[in-house]
Amino acid sequence: MKLDVDYLLTTSDPVATEELFAEARRVRDEVYGRRVFMRGLIEITNHCKNNCLYCGIRRDARVQRYRLTQEQILACCQEGHRLGFRTFVLQGGEDGWYTDDMLCGIVEEIKRRFPDCAVTLSMGERGRDSFRRLREAGADRYLLRHETADSEHYGRLHPAEMSFDHRMQCLQDLRDLGFQVGAGFMVGSPHQTLETLKKDLQFIETFRPEMVGIGPFIPAAGTPFEHMPAGSVELTIRLLAIIRILHPHVLLPATSALGTMHPQGRERAVNAGANVVMPNLSPQDTRALYAIYNNKLSTGSEAAESAADIRARMKAIGYDVPTDRGDFVK
Ligand code: SAH
């Protein structure tokens, strides 16, 4: 199917968009069935050495900082395992406090205690050698959104000390080392255009990441972009459908940012081809501190305690939530 992306992203014809969503569901169901996979997100640190212009926990943000210890992380996994999670995603700012030795130790211990689980890391850019050690320690997957496939646009979202080429190099290194790799971008980030979005789609079509995380940009207080408008839920959902059709095997989360902006955001995403949800498994008292954007959901159906609620919501729209690692299907 050759997609007219310009038309699909801009049309106001409800019939055309409904057809797009139906095709995305059909393509997903063929590969994964009507199943939505759950990942437990553990936000292990909000310390960050980077100063991304959009991010609420950037270096210059005046927020209370925290780090989780290995024991705290393992306790989150224990609770998650009880709730039926079989993938743990460790995410954080770029925090040198977690040396390779420490992170490898944490990954090894999670894999030792929960051998039926996948470990996903999302700790930002690191060197190839560090990625190699983490892979050897047992990490299965790595999420590193490319943020934008247009290097000039990248330069307007990040300070000069950060580099588009290095981010892309990291994605390639992760791929070479055998990780299941997640890329992705924000929808409606400042200075994004139809042209930059088309580059994102081209990148996804050629690199074919195993996971693609996209969600609306949401302004974060205290950042240079705090007064910029949020991205559109509607556009995000159309992009999810297009990505599903371009890359039928991709694991595609209905992100928290989408759930934050619309009460039915996750259901709408699943109805447009998404097949992953990532409830928060972080300790209750640190959740509010991982404020990458304003009003981020971490309670209600975003809380892992509400795994049952997520299951019920997915069941209500005709989907199963298996207790399963939910690996990429080749
Ligand atoms: N330090 C890690 C994790 C970053 S947080 C890394 O660099 O990969 C995960 C994602 O949240 C980011 O990749 C970014 O796309 C998204 N994000 C950050 N700030 C955001 C905002 N204001 N609105 C929406 N999404 C945001």
Side-chain angles (χ1 to χ4, degrees), residues 48 50 52 54-57 91-94 122-125 142-147 162 167 184-187 213 215-220 223 257 290 292-294:
C48 192
N50 288 333
C52 306
Y54 44 84
C55 184
I57 60 165
Q91 188 176 77
E94 280 188 31
S122 179
M123 303 290 299
E125 298 172 34
Y142 205 103
L143 305 179
L144 186 75
R145 290 186 176 181
H146 64 286
E147 311 296 0
M162 289 180 72
R167 200 145 183 107
F185 56 92
M186 293 174 285
V187 177
F217 161 73
I218 303 176
T223 63
Y290 195 80
I292 54 179
Y293 49 79
N294 295 343

Side-chain angles (χ1 to χ4, degrees), residues 54 85 101 146 149 166 172 271 318:
Y54 44 84
F85 290 87
D101 282 346
H146 64 286
H166 188 253
Q172 188 58 53
N271 277 323

